[in-house]
Amino acid sequence: MPDTPSPARKAFGDIAPGLADYTDHILFGDVWERPGLAPRERCIVTVSSLISLYRTNELGFHIRKALATGVTEAEIIEIITHLAFYSGWPGPV
């Protein structure tokens, strides 16, 4: 049975297979596995960064990843509330 395609492979692997490989092996392999921060801490940093940069495309994936590593829904709400004062509220849709 073939491996399930990674989120990167699903998102852009057909048009940029090399970038999908870098994302899978370097970002989520090497960088995310460094021992300096626990996965939970990396998720908090990443979610915070994505909120601050208003990178909504990636935010859902990383919020789900954060929840899977033990970040609570209440903590995510606090992160969003806290960052609203530093990053600003999004404009009207």
Side-chain angles (χ1 to χ4, degrees):
M1 176 170 29
D3 292 334
T4 303
S6 69
R9 182 90 31 221
K10 288 179 187 176
F12 49 83
D14 56 337
I15 59 172
L19 181 58
D21 284 341
Y22 292 142
T23 301
D24 291 341
H25 297 109
I26 296 173
L27 176 59
F28 288 108
D30 297 341
V31 175
W32 273 82
E33 296 301 320
R34 290 174 53 87
L37 292 174
R40 182 182 188 283
E41 294 165 329
R42 287 188 190 281
C43 285
I44 289 171
V45 170
T46 302
V47 166
S48 298
S49 177
L50 293 173
I51 290 168
S52 296
L53 295 170
Y54 201 60
R55 300 288 170 90
T56 58
N57 287 344
E58 299 95 343
L59 192 54
F61 170 84
H62 284 284
I63 286 175
R64 288 187 298 277
K65 187 172 178 68
L67 291 167
T69 62
V71 180
T72 67
E73 184 176 318
E75 289 173 316
I76 291 171
I77 291 167
E78 286 301 316
I79 291 167
I80 293 168
T81 302
H82 186 77
L83 287 174
F85 290 91
Y86 291 93
S87 300
W89 281 266
V93 178

